[in-house]
Amino acid sequence: MAAVLESLLREEVSVAAAVRWIARSAQSSEDDPGEAAALSSLRPLRKEFVPFLLNFLREQSSRVLPQGPPTPAKAPGSSAALPGRPGGPPRGGRGARSQLFPPTELSSAAAAEAPSARRGGRRRGPGPGRERGGRGPGGLEEGVGGESQPWTGGRRSRGAGSPGSPSLVRSDPPNLSNLEEFPPVGSVPPGPAGTKPSRRINPTPVSEERSLSKPKTCFTSPPINCVPSSQPSVLDTSPWGHGLPPGCRSLQEEREMLRKERSKQLQQSPSTTCPTSELGPPLPSWSGNLTAESADPARVSSRQRLELIALVYSSCIAENLVPNLFLELFFVLQLLTARRMVATKDGDLEPSPGAPDSLESPLFQSVHDCVFFAVQVLERQFQVLSYLDKGTLKLLAENERLLCFSPALQGRLRAAYEGSVAKVSLAMPPSAQAVSFQPETDNRANFSSDRAFHTFKKQRDVFFEVLREWEDRHEEPGWDFEKGLGSRIRAMMGQLSAACSHSHFVRLFQKQLLQMCQSPGGTGGTVLGEAPDVLSMLGADKLGRLRRLQERLVAPQSSGGPCPPPTFPGCQGFFRDFILSASSFQFNQHLMDSLSLKIRELNSLALPQPEPSDEDGESDVDWQGERRQFAMVLLSLRLLAKFLGFVAFLPYRGPEPPPTRELQDSILALRSQVPPALDVRALLQQGLRARRAVLTVPWLVEFLSLADHIVPLLDYYRSIFSVLLHLHRSLVLSKESEGEMCFLNKLLLLAVLGWLFQIPTVPEDLFFLEEGQLDALEVDTVASELGLDGMPVVDQHLLYTCCPYIGELRKLLASWVSGSSARSGGFVRKITPTTTTGLGAQPPRTSQGLQAQLAQAFFHNQPPSLRRTVEFVAERIGSNCVKHIKATLVADLVRQAESLLQEQLVTQGQDGGDPAQLLEILCSQLCPHGAQALTQGREFCQKKSPGAVRALLPEETPAAVLSSAENIAVGLATEKACTWLSANITALIRREVKAAVSRTLRAQGPEAAARGERRGCSRACEHHAPLPSHLISEIKDVLSLAVGPRDPEEGVSLDHLEQLLGQLGQTLQCRQFLCPPAEQHLAKCSVDLASLLVADHIPVLGPPSPRGLERGQARRLLHVLLSLWKDDFQVPVPLQLLLSPRNVGLLADTRPREWDLLLFLLRELVEKGLMGRTEIEACLGSLRDAQWPKDFSEELATLFRLFLAEPHMPEPQLRACELVQTNRGTVLAQS
Amino acid sequence: MILTKAQYDEIAQCLVSVPPTRQSLRKLKQRFPRYLNGVGRNGAAPVLLELANEVDYAPSLMARIILERFLQEHEETPPSKSVINSMLRDPSQIPDGVLANQVYQCIVNDCCYGPLVDCIKHAIGHEHEVLLRDMLLEKNLSFLDEDQLRAKGYDKTPDFILQVPVAVEGHIIHWIESKASFGDECSHHAYLHDQFWSYWNRFGPGLVIYWYGFIQELDCNRERGILLKACFPTDIVTLCHSVA
C-alpha cells in the first residue's frame, strides 16, 4: 500500500487516476497508460489502500493528538506495507478487535505482508483519552499484551496530555488495554532507518481465559461504564439493559489486572517510571502543555508532500471511500486544533535528509504541518462545512489558525456563516403526558369480557404509576429499575391473559413511547397528531428568552464522541427497561407486530409532493409544514424501528460474537431460516425504487444498529448491507444534477450510514469488502419521477436531531476556543425538534377508474395543500355523515322500536316475552329502513362538503378549480360514508335497537317509578331551600333524641318540629340539590318520624318539662307528613314500615296506649290514596303473627276490627295506587 | 379553610383520644355476653349503644358486629354482606324485635358511620357537585359530566371533563373533581391512587376542589398535573378564539 502512496509522492501517478483506481475496480479510459501500468501491478492491494491511508494518517498524527479523541475508525492493518518492518505474529481469532480489517484475499502480492497486516486494527481504542491517566511518558506495559515491539523513541512521550478534545477526556478513562502502545521509556530506539512503529487501533484487552479473542467494544466511543457516575444519563444509555454490559465489566477486570502487571513492571524496571499516580487526574506538570503552540504557515515542512496527501485524502472523502465522513472531518478538525507537538527526546523527528519526500520521514513534523494539512483538506470539504449548523460555522470562521493559513477559506466560511439560517436549538421538554382515553378503542365494547376491561383499566393505571415513579426516581443514585419496578411490572403483565388484552396494552405502550420519546433526548416532543404545546403556541418574546435560558440550564452534555454506540437516552430508557423487566414473550410478540405495522404505515405515508416552483411566501409556509411533517414521520419511524430492532434481536443478543467458527456456522444455519420480524429488505428496495431513501434508510439504520453479531452474516441482512454500502458510495456530495438527491438529504444518509458502519456488531471488514457485489443493484434506483429524495425535506435541525454526534465537531472547535480541557465541553446540547406538526390521517384512495385518474391528474398541478384540504374535508364529512345518520335515521328507528315494544308489552302483558325474540321481531321490521341511509348520506355529503372546501381554500382559487375540488370532496366523502354505511348500517341499527330494548325492559322494572316522571323545581325557584344533607342530619337528631338515650332535660320544641317539616317541604319542592338516595332516606326518616309521633315517643320541650305531644299537635304534624308523602316525594315512600312490627311495637311501651293516632293515620293513608285497604289489611294480618304481650295482641286485634269495620270506599284510582305501593315495597326490600 | 399539616394533626389528636383499635375489639368480644344479659333485663335500655361507648367503638359498627353474630347463630350460614346492609338500613327486617330496636338506636345515635350518615355524606357530595356544575355553567365552560362520560364508555370518570381545557393559576386543567370533605393525608392518598392519577392517566392534568379545605402540604403535585383548591377558582384563563 505504501507503494501506492510512494508512487503518488514521486508523482508517477496522478491523484485523479489514483482515486479513480481506488474507487472503481475497472480501469478507466481516462487513465494514462503509464499510470495504469504503475497501478495495475498493485491491483490486488487496491481494496486496502483506503484503510491504509486512514491508518497512516492517524499514525502520523499520533504525536500531535496523543490523547486525541477516537477519530480512527475501523481502519484495517496500519503499517502493514511499510517497508522494512518486521512482520509481527498474526494475532487473534475472528472477531478480535485487532482484526478490524483483515485482508480478505491474500493474493500473492499481499501475502508477504499479510501477517503484519493482520496485526493492524484500530490504533486508537475506545478510550481516546486512554493514555491520559497519569501515566508518565511512555508506557509500562511493554510485553504484557504478549507482543513486544521495537519502538521509535519519538513515540514515547505521548503521555503528555494535549487537551485536544476535552469533553472526551472527561468521559473517557484511560484504556489500558492497549499495551503494545506503551513501550518502556528507557528503551533505546533502534535507529532512524529501523522499524516503523506499529500502532494498534483497537484496544487489546487482557483476559485471563481468552487473551487472543478479545471482546469487542464500541470502537470510537468510550466504554460505557467508564463514564463518571455523575452522568447517569450516559450510564443509562447502555443499549443492553441495566447496569454495565459484560464487555465493560471485563474491561474493569482488565484494568485491575493491568494495575497488578504494572506494579510488577515497576519493580522490574524502576528507571522507566515517572512519578505519576495511576489513573489519576491530569498531572500538574502537564499544565505547561495546555497552551497551544501558534501555527505559522511559513514553518510548514514538506509542503508539497502534505498537499498531495491532503488531495488524495480529500478525494477519498469526496468519493465516499471512507466509512464515515464526519469521523474524518472530526479528525481533520483535531489536526486543526492540535495544541502542540509532543516534544521529542532523541531527535527522531528530524526529517531524514536522504528521502525528504518519501514515507520514511514523518508526515507531520510540527503543529504547522498539521494545521496546514487540515486546512488543505477543509478547503476541499467546504461544501459540507457550509451545511453545518451556524454555531459550528461561526467557530470555524473565527478560528485564527484557519484565517492564518487560508484567508480565502475563512472568507467563504464567514460568508456561509452570515448566510446560514441553520440555527439548531433545543425545545423545552414538556413533561410527560399520558395517552388519552379514547372511547372508540378503549371502551367496554372493545374487550372480550368485563373482566378484561377492568383488568386493562387497572393496567393503565399501574403503567402510569410505574412511569411516574421512574420519572421521579431514575436519577437517584442507587435506584435500580428492576429492583424498584420489576416485580410490579411482571405482576401487571401476568394479568394480561387474553390476546386482546395484550394488543390493548401494546397500543398504549407504543402510543406512550411515541409521545414521550420522539426527540432524541427522549424527554420531549409532541405526539404525532397532537397539537404543539401551549407554550410554543403563545410564542411570546419573553417566553423565548426564558426558553433559551432553560436550554442552557437543562442542556445535557456530550453525546459520547463522534461515533457513539446505539443508546436509549432519556425516556427511551424507561421503555427499554420496561421491556426487559416485563420479560414477557407475548408482550414482545405483540409489540413487534404493532411496531412493524406502524412502521409500514408511516413508511408508506404519502408525504409532500413536489411543489410547483412558486416563489411567493405561501408555498414557503407550506414547505415549512411539509418539512415538519417529514421530520415528525422520520423521527417516529426511527424510534419505532429502534425499538423493533431492540425487541426483535433481543433473544440473540450477547456482548461477544461466537467464539469459534464452528459455533458461528451452526448459529448461522439456524438463524438463516428464521424469517425477519419485518421484511426490511423489501421496504428498503421499495424505498430506493420510489426514491424515498431519505425516509427509509435512517430508520433502517436504527433498526440494524441494534442487531446482534450474527445478523450481518446472514444472507438476508448481508444483502441489505450491500445495498446500503452501494448507496453510501453513490451519495457523492459534489454531484449535483437534475434528479439528484438534495445535499442535506445526502448528508443525513451519509451521517447515519457512517455511524452504522462503526457499530460494534457490524463486521469491521464489511465496508471495504462488499465492493464486488455492488454493481448488481445499480438498476434498482432508477426512478421515474422525483421522489422524496429530490426534495429538500431535510434541514440542519433534522440532521442534528438524527445525528447528534455531528455536534461533536462544534464541541471540538469550542474547546479550542475555550482553551481549557477543564471545561470539558459541556456545551454541546441535545437537540430536540422545536416544533412538531400533526399528521392528518390520509384516507385510503379507494376510487378507481378513469374518474380517479382524472382526479389524480387534477391534483398533480395544484399545490399539495389543495389535495390535503380536499382529502381532509372528505374524510371528516364522510365520518360526520355516519354520525349524522346515526343521530337522525337510526335514532328515529330506535324511537319506532321503543313504541313498537311498548305496544308489544301492552298486548302481551308485563314481561312481553323473550327479549331475544322481541329483538328479532323488531329488527326484521326496522332493518329494511336502513336502505334509506345511503340516500340520506349522499344528500348530507352533497350539502356539507362544498362549504367546507370553500372555507378552507384560499379565496383566489379559480372558480373551476374550486368547483372541481368541491366535487371531488363530495365524491370522496360520499364514497367513504356509503362504503361504511352499506356495510354496517344493519349492524348499527341492530345494536342500537338492542340497547333500546334492554333499556325499555329495564324501565319496566321496579325502579321505573323512581326514574319515570321526575319533576324539576319550578322555573321561579331560586334554590334557596335547605340542603338535603342538612335536613337528613336534622331529622336524624330528632330521631336519636326520640330513640334515646337522652338526658332528662333534652327534647325537641314543637316549633322546631313544625319548622323541620316545613323545610322538608321546601327541599322536596326545590329539587336542585336532591339526589334519589337522599330523597329515599328522607322518605324513610319521615316514616320513622311518623311512627314515633303515633307512639308518642317524641320528647317535646316546653313548660314545665319534656312531655308528649298533645293529640291535636300530633295530628297536625301527621297531616303535614301525609301531604308531603302524597304531593312532594317523588321516590316511593316506605309507608308499610308504619305497620312493621318494630314501629307498631313502639306503642307497646306507652301506657296508656293511644291507638287513635294510628287509626287516624291509617284512615288518612287510605283516604289520600297512599295505601290501599288490602295492603293495610295484609300488613295488619302479618302483625298478628309477631309475638306480643297478651294484652297488646288483644288491643291490636281490636284495632284491626275497627279498621275493617269502616265503610269500604271504592275509589277509582285505588287499584293503581295499590300497584304502585306494592312496587314501593319491593324497592325497599331490594335496595 | 386550608390547614397546615401541623394544625390538622393537633386537631386530629384532640378528636381521637383513644383510637378504635384491635384492643377495643378484643374488649368487645369479652363483653358480648353482657349484651344478652343486659337486654334480658330490660329490652328498651340502650345496652348496645352503651356497649359501643364503653369500648369506644362507633355504635353503628358495633351494631353491625352484633348483628353479624346474631345472624350467624340463628342461620348457621354466615350472612351475606348485602343482607346485613339491608337490615342496617331498615332494622324492621331484623327478625329479633329487641335487637332491631337496639340496632336502630345505634344507627340514629352514630355521628360518623352507618347508613344514615353515609347518606348525609353522599348528599353533601352531590350538593357540591351541583354547586360546581352551576358555577361551570355560569362561567360558560362546557363540560361532560360523569353520567355522560359513563354512557360513552369511559372506564374512569371524574365529576366533570372540560370540553375545552382552561388554565388555573397557570396550570392546564382538563377535568375537575369535587370533594365535599376535608382533604387529609390519608384520604388524599387514597383518592390519588384510586381516582386522581387515573384521571390524569386518561385525561391529563386536572383540578380537585376540597370544599372543606385540605392540608396545604398535599398540594405538591401541581407541576405533575393535579391542582388542589378549596373553592371554585377565580382566575380561570380560557382559550381565546379571537387570537389570530
Side-chain angles (χ1 to χ4, degrees), chain A residues 1200-1228:
Chain A
F1200 197 25
R1201 271 197 305 279
L1202 269 173
F1203 180 72
L1204 288 180
E1206 282 175 21
H1208 203 108
M1209 285 184 295
E1211 285 171 83
Q1213 77 270 41
L1214 200 62
R1215 213 186 133 61
C1217 289
E1218 271 175 4
L1219 256 178
V1220 172
Q1221 303 312 335
T1222 320
N1223 281 338
R1224 288 179 184 177
T1226 39
V1227 172
L1228 204 86

mmCIF file of all heavy atoms in Angstrom, chain A residues 1200-1228:
data_model
loop_
_atom_site.group_PDB
_atom_site.id
_atom_site.type_symbol
_atom_site.label_atom_id
_atom_site.label_comp_id
_atom_site.label_asym_id
_atom_site.label_seq_id
_atom_site.Cartn_x
_atom_site.Cartn_y
_atom_site.Cartn_z
ATOM 1 N N PHE A 1200 -107.686 -3.812 64.457
ATOM 2 C CA PHE A 1200 -107.888 -4.482 63.181
ATOM 3 C C PHE A 1200 -109.384 -4.499 62.837
ATOM 4 O O PHE A 1200 -109.795 -4.140 61.723
ATOM 5 C CB PHE A 1200 -107.313 -5.894 63.304
ATOM 6 C CG PHE A 1200 -107.084 -6.574 61.983
ATOM 7 C CD1 PHE A 1200 -106.889 -5.826 60.816
ATOM 8 C CD2 PHE A 1200 -107.068 -7.967 61.901
ATOM 9 C CE1 PHE A 1200 -106.675 -6.459 59.623
ATOM 10 C CE2 PHE A 1200 -106.856 -8.590 60.692
ATOM 11 C CZ PHE A 1200 -106.659 -7.840 59.548
ATOM 12 N N ARG A 1201 -110.140 -4.905 63.817
ATOM 13 C CA ARG A 1201 -111.581 -4.989 63.598
ATOM 14 C C ARG A 1201 -112.168 -3.619 63.283
ATOM 15 O O ARG A 1201 -112.956 -3.473 62.376
ATOM 16 C CB ARG A 1201 -112.258 -5.579 64.844
ATOM 17 C CG ARG A 1201 -112.345 -7.109 64.833
ATOM 18 C CD ARG A 1201 -113.362 -7.598 65.850
ATOM 19 N NE ARG A 1201 -113.100 -7.104 67.185
ATOM 20 C CZ ARG A 1201 -112.205 -7.645 68.027
ATOM 21 N NH1 ARG A 1201 -111.491 -8.685 67.661
ATOM 22 N NH2 ARG A 1201 -112.040 -7.158 69.235
ATOM 23 N N LEU A 1202 -111.699 -2.636 64.057
ATOM 24 C CA LEU A 1202 -112.190 -1.278 63.851
ATOM 25 C C LEU A 1202 -111.935 -0.803 62.423
ATOM 26 O O LEU A 1202 -112.780 -0.248 61.756
ATOM 27 C CB LEU A 1202 -111.489 -0.314 64.812
ATOM 28 C CG LEU A 1202 -112.159 -0.067 66.158
ATOM 29 C CD1 LEU A 1202 -111.263 0.757 67.044
ATOM 30 C CD2 LEU A 1202 -113.495 0.616 65.951
ATOM 31 N N PHE A 1203 -110.730 -1.048 61.999
ATOM 32 C CA PHE A 1203 -110.322 -0.588 60.674
ATOM 33 C C PHE A 1203 -111.162 -1.265 59.586
ATOM 34 O O PHE A 1203 -111.628 -0.639 58.641
ATOM 35 C CB PHE A 1203 -108.841 -0.864 60.458
ATOM 36 C CG PHE A 1203 -108.343 -0.413 59.114
ATOM 37 C CD1 PHE A 1203 -108.187 0.948 58.840
ATOM 38 C CD2 PHE A 1203 -108.063 -1.333 58.118
ATOM 39 C CE1 PHE A 1203 -107.761 1.354 57.601
ATOM 40 C CE2 PHE A 1203 -107.626 -0.914 56.868
ATOM 41 C CZ PHE A 1203 -107.466 0.437 56.620
ATOM 42 N N LEU A 1204 -111.377 -2.606 59.821
ATOM 43 C CA LEU A 1204 -112.129 -3.358 58.823
ATOM 44 C C LEU A 1204 -113.597 -2.940 58.795
ATOM 45 O O LEU A 1204 -114.245 -2.971 57.754
ATOM 46 C CB LEU A 1204 -112.037 -4.858 59.118
ATOM 47 C CG LEU A 1204 -110.674 -5.487 58.837
ATOM 48 C CD1 LEU A 1204 -110.708 -6.972 59.171
ATOM 49 C CD2 LEU A 1204 -110.292 -5.273 57.379
ATOM 50 N N ALA A 1205 -114.065 -2.522 59.942
ATOM 51 C CA ALA A 1205 -115.480 -2.196 60.041
ATOM 52 C C ALA A 1205 -115.832 -0.956 59.238
ATOM 53 O O ALA A 1205 -116.977 -0.736 58.891
ATOM 54 C CB ALA A 1205 -115.848 -1.982 61.501
ATOM 55 N N GLU A 1206 -114.826 -0.146 58.951
ATOM 56 C CA GLU A 1206 -115.106 1.109 58.253
ATOM 57 C C GLU A 1206 -115.602 0.843 56.842
ATOM 58 O O GLU A 1206 -115.238 -0.153 56.223
ATOM 59 C CB GLU A 1206 -113.844 1.967 58.227
ATOM 60 C CG GLU A 1206 -113.663 2.621 59.567
ATOM 61 C CD GLU A 1206 -112.368 3.373 59.637
ATOM 62 O OE1 GLU A 1206 -111.813 3.715 58.593
ATOM 63 O OE2 GLU A 1206 -111.912 3.585 60.762
ATOM 64 N N PRO A 1207 -116.440 1.781 56.394
ATOM 65 C CA PRO A 1207 -117.019 1.559 55.069
ATOM 66 C C PRO A 1207 -115.938 1.500 53.984
ATOM 67 O O PRO A 1207 -114.978 2.282 53.992
ATOM 68 C CB PRO A 1207 -117.920 2.781 54.878
ATOM 69 C CG PRO A 1207 -117.396 3.803 55.836
ATOM 70 C CD PRO A 1207 -116.866 3.048 56.994
ATOM 71 N N HIS A 1208 -116.118 0.543 53.138
ATOM 72 C CA HIS A 1208 -115.178 0.357 52.039
ATOM 73 C C HIS A 1208 -115.423 1.425 50.990
ATOM 74 O O HIS A 1208 -116.485 1.502 50.413
ATOM 75 C CB HIS A 1208 -115.407 -1.037 51.440
ATOM 76 C CG HIS A 1208 -114.209 -1.550 50.728
ATOM 77 N ND1 HIS A 1208 -113.448 -2.565 51.248
ATOM 78 C CD2 HIS A 1208 -113.649 -1.174 49.584
ATOM 79 C CE1 HIS A 1208 -112.468 -2.804 50.403
ATOM 80 N NE2 HIS A 1208 -112.569 -1.976 49.391
ATOM 81 N N MET A 1209 -114.444 2.265 50.780
ATOM 82 C CA MET A 1209 -114.656 3.346 49.814
ATOM 83 C C MET A 1209 -114.088 2.958 48.458
ATOM 84 O O MET A 1209 -112.871 2.844 48.316
ATOM 85 C CB MET A 1209 -113.992 4.623 50.311
ATOM 86 C CG MET A 1209 -114.790 5.275 51.443
ATOM 87 S SD MET A 1209 -114.061 6.819 51.918
ATOM 88 C CE MET A 1209 -112.509 6.274 52.575
ATOM 89 N N PRO A 1210 -114.969 2.755 47.521
ATOM 90 C CA PRO A 1210 -114.459 2.358 46.203
ATOM 91 C C PRO A 1210 -113.929 3.565 45.431
ATOM 92 O O PRO A 1210 -114.706 4.330 44.867
ATOM 93 C CB PRO A 1210 -115.694 1.748 45.546
ATOM 94 C CG PRO A 1210 -116.878 2.377 46.231
ATOM 95 C CD PRO A 1210 -116.445 2.967 47.514
ATOM 96 N N GLU A 1211 -112.646 3.723 45.484
ATOM 97 C CA GLU A 1211 -112.083 4.849 44.731
ATOM 98 C C GLU A 1211 -111.501 4.318 43.425
ATOM 99 O O GLU A 1211 -110.860 3.272 43.402
ATOM 100 C CB GLU A 1211 -110.956 5.503 45.543
ATOM 101 C CG GLU A 1211 -111.496 6.334 46.686
ATOM 102 C CD GLU A 1211 -110.384 6.774 47.597
ATOM 103 O OE1 GLU A 1211 -109.738 7.777 47.290
ATOM 104 O OE2 GLU A 1211 -110.136 6.086 48.596
ATOM 105 N N PRO A 1212 -111.739 5.065 42.360
ATOM 106 C CA PRO A 1212 -111.302 4.550 41.057
ATOM 107 C C PRO A 1212 -109.770 4.380 40.967
ATOM 108 O O PRO A 1212 -109.283 3.450 40.350
ATOM 109 C CB PRO A 1212 -111.785 5.606 40.067
ATOM 110 C CG PRO A 1212 -112.117 6.826 40.886
ATOM 111 C CD PRO A 1212 -112.442 6.349 42.255
ATOM 112 N N GLN A 1213 -109.072 5.292 41.621
ATOM 113 C CA GLN A 1213 -107.609 5.210 41.453
ATOM 114 C C GLN A 1213 -106.961 4.257 42.444
ATOM 115 O O GLN A 1213 -105.749 4.080 42.451
ATOM 116 C CB GLN A 1213 -106.956 6.595 41.579
ATOM 117 C CG GLN A 1213 -106.819 7.109 42.992
ATOM 118 C CD GLN A 1213 -108.043 7.900 43.405
ATOM 119 O OE1 GLN A 1213 -109.192 7.517 43.091
ATOM 120 N NE2 GLN A 1213 -107.846 8.996 44.095
ATOM 121 N N LEU A 1214 -107.798 3.693 43.267
ATOM 122 C CA LEU A 1214 -107.257 2.884 44.353
ATOM 123 C C LEU A 1214 -106.377 1.756 43.843
ATOM 124 O O LEU A 1214 -105.299 1.499 44.343
ATOM 125 C CB LEU A 1214 -108.421 2.321 45.165
ATOM 126 C CG LEU A 1214 -108.042 1.878 46.574
ATOM 127 C CD1 LEU A 1214 -107.543 3.071 47.374
ATOM 128 C CD2 LEU A 1214 -109.229 1.233 47.261
ATOM 129 N N ARG A 1215 -106.866 1.115 42.816
ATOM 130 C CA ARG A 1215 -106.149 -0.040 42.314
ATOM 131 C C ARG A 1215 -104.734 0.331 41.858
ATOM 132 O O ARG A 1215 -103.746 -0.306 42.244
ATOM 133 C CB ARG A 1215 -106.928 -0.669 41.166
ATOM 134 C CG ARG A 1215 -106.751 -2.162 41.143
ATOM 135 C CD ARG A 1215 -107.378 -2.798 39.966
ATOM 136 N NE ARG A 1215 -106.441 -3.733 39.385
ATOM 137 C CZ ARG A 1215 -105.961 -4.787 40.030
ATOM 138 N NH1 ARG A 1215 -106.323 -5.046 41.265
ATOM 139 N NH2 ARG A 1215 -105.115 -5.600 39.447
ATOM 140 N N ALA A 1216 -104.748 1.388 41.102
ATOM 141 C CA ALA A 1216 -103.439 1.837 40.600
ATOM 142 C C ALA A 1216 -102.495 2.137 41.763
ATOM 143 O O ALA A 1216 -101.316 1.748 41.746
ATOM 144 C CB ALA A 1216 -103.621 3.074 39.735
ATOM 145 N N CYS A 1217 -103.049 2.794 42.745
ATOM 146 C CA CYS A 1217 -102.209 3.137 43.886
ATOM 147 C C CYS A 1217 -101.631 1.900 44.551
ATOM 148 O O CYS A 1217 -100.455 1.838 44.888
ATOM 149 C CB CYS A 1217 -103.012 3.898 44.923
ATOM 150 S SG CYS A 1217 -103.426 5.531 44.385
ATOM 151 N N GLU A 1218 -102.501 0.946 44.705
ATOM 152 C CA GLU A 1218 -102.033 -0.284 45.344
ATOM 153 C C GLU A 1218 -100.845 -0.871 44.590
ATOM 154 O O GLU A 1218 -99.856 -1.276 45.178
ATOM 155 C CB GLU A 1218 -103.170 -1.300 45.355
ATOM 156 C CG GLU A 1218 -104.023 -1.185 46.581
ATOM 157 C CD GLU A 1218 -105.213 -2.110 46.499
ATOM 158 O OE1 GLU A 1218 -105.315 -2.886 45.533
ATOM 159 O OE2 GLU A 1218 -106.024 -2.049 47.404
ATOM 160 N N LEU A 1219 -101.037 -0.818 43.290
ATOM 161 C CA LEU A 1219 -99.947 -1.371 42.474
ATOM 162 C C LEU A 1219 -98.643 -0.633 42.759
ATOM 163 O O LEU A 1219 -97.604 -1.227 43.011
ATOM 164 C CB LEU A 1219 -100.289 -1.195 40.995
ATOM 165 C CG LEU A 1219 -100.762 -2.462 40.289
ATOM 166 C CD1 LEU A 1219 -101.113 -2.128 38.855
ATOM 167 C CD2 LEU A 1219 -99.695 -3.527 40.373
ATOM 168 N N VAL A 1220 -98.786 0.661 42.716
ATOM 169 C CA VAL A 1220 -97.590 1.477 42.930
ATOM 170 C C VAL A 1220 -96.985 1.174 44.291
ATOM 171 O O VAL A 1220 -95.781 0.976 44.431
ATOM 172 C CB VAL A 1220 -97.942 2.972 42.823
ATOM 173 C CG1 VAL A 1220 -96.751 3.817 43.248
ATOM 174 C CG2 VAL A 1220 -98.358 3.302 41.405
ATOM 175 N N GLN A 1221 -97.858 1.086 45.264
ATOM 176 C CA GLN A 1221 -97.335 0.865 46.599
ATOM 177 C C GLN A 1221 -96.653 -0.488 46.711
ATOM 178 O O GLN A 1221 -95.643 -0.617 47.388
ATOM 179 C CB GLN A 1221 -98.454 0.964 47.646
ATOM 180 C CG GLN A 1221 -99.196 2.284 47.638
ATOM 181 C CD GLN A 1221 -98.269 3.473 47.627
ATOM 182 O OE1 GLN A 1221 -97.137 3.381 48.073
ATOM 183 N NE2 GLN A 1221 -98.725 4.579 47.086
ATOM 184 N N THR A 1222 -97.217 -1.461 46.032
ATOM 185 C CA THR A 1222 -96.556 -2.765 46.065
ATOM 186 C C THR A 1222 -95.136 -2.634 45.535
ATOM 187 O O THR A 1222 -94.181 -3.154 46.096
ATOM 188 C CB THR A 1222 -97.323 -3.781 45.205
ATOM 189 O OG1 THR A 1222 -98.697 -3.563 45.397
ATOM 190 C CG2 THR A 1222 -96.933 -5.189 45.551
ATOM 191 N N ASN A 1223 -95.083 -1.895 44.462
ATOM 192 C CA ASN A 1223 -93.752 -1.704 43.890
ATOM 193 C C ASN A 1223 -92.830 -1.049 44.887
ATOM 194 O O ASN A 1223 -91.676 -1.417 45.024
ATOM 195 C CB ASN A 1223 -93.840 -0.812 42.656
ATOM 196 C CG ASN A 1223 -94.324 -1.605 41.462
ATOM 197 O OD1 ASN A 1223 -94.191 -2.820 41.467
ATOM 198 N ND2 ASN A 1223 -94.902 -0.939 40.488
ATOM 199 N N ARG A 1224 -93.359 -0.072 45.575
ATOM 200 C CA ARG A 1224 -92.520 0.627 46.547
ATOM 201 C C ARG A 1224 -91.971 -0.339 47.583
ATOM 202 O O ARG A 1224 -90.818 -0.259 47.954
ATOM 203 C CB ARG A 1224 -93.328 1.691 47.258
ATOM 204 C CG ARG A 1224 -93.629 2.849 46.357
ATOM 205 C CD ARG A 1224 -94.439 3.871 47.086
ATOM 206 N NE ARG A 1224 -94.778 4.919 46.165
ATOM 207 C CZ ARG A 1224 -95.541 5.945 46.496
ATOM 208 N NH1 ARG A 1224 -96.034 6.028 47.704
ATOM 209 N NH2 ARG A 1224 -95.805 6.874 45.624
ATOM 210 N N GLY A 1225 -92.852 -1.213 47.970
ATOM 211 C CA GLY A 1225 -92.392 -2.172 48.962
ATOM 212 C C GLY A 1225 -91.227 -2.988 48.462
ATOM 213 O O GLY A 1225 -90.211 -3.144 49.145
ATOM 214 N N THR A 1226 -91.344 -3.434 47.248
ATOM 215 C CA THR A 1226 -90.246 -4.255 46.730
ATOM 216 C C THR A 1226 -88.978 -3.451 46.576
ATOM 217 O O THR A 1226 -87.888 -3.956 46.759
ATOM 218 C CB THR A 1226 -90.618 -4.880 45.382
ATOM 219 O OG1 THR A 1226 -91.340 -3.921 44.651
ATOM 220 C CG2 THR A 1226 -91.426 -6.139 45.565
ATOM 221 N N VAL A 1227 -89.140 -2.201 46.220
ATOM 222 C CA VAL A 1227 -87.947 -1.361 46.082
ATOM 223 C C VAL A 1227 -87.150 -1.388 47.362
ATOM 224 O O VAL A 1227 -85.947 -1.613 47.372
ATOM 225 C CB VAL A 1227 -88.341 0.108 45.807
ATOM 226 C CG1 VAL A 1227 -87.103 0.969 45.859
ATOM 227 C CG2 VAL A 1227 -89.028 0.233 44.496
ATOM 228 N N LEU A 1228 -87.866 -1.168 48.427
ATOM 229 C CA LEU A 1228 -87.158 -1.051 49.684
ATOM 230 C C LEU A 1228 -86.467 -2.355 50.055
ATOM 231 O O LEU A 1228 -85.329 -2.363 50.525
ATOM 232 C CB LEU A 1228 -88.140 -0.645 50.776
ATOM 233 C CG LEU A 1228 -87.387 0.037 51.883
ATOM 234 C CD1 LEU A 1228 -87.248 1.508 51.561
ATOM 235 C CD2 LEU A 1228 -88.079 -0.187 53.203
#
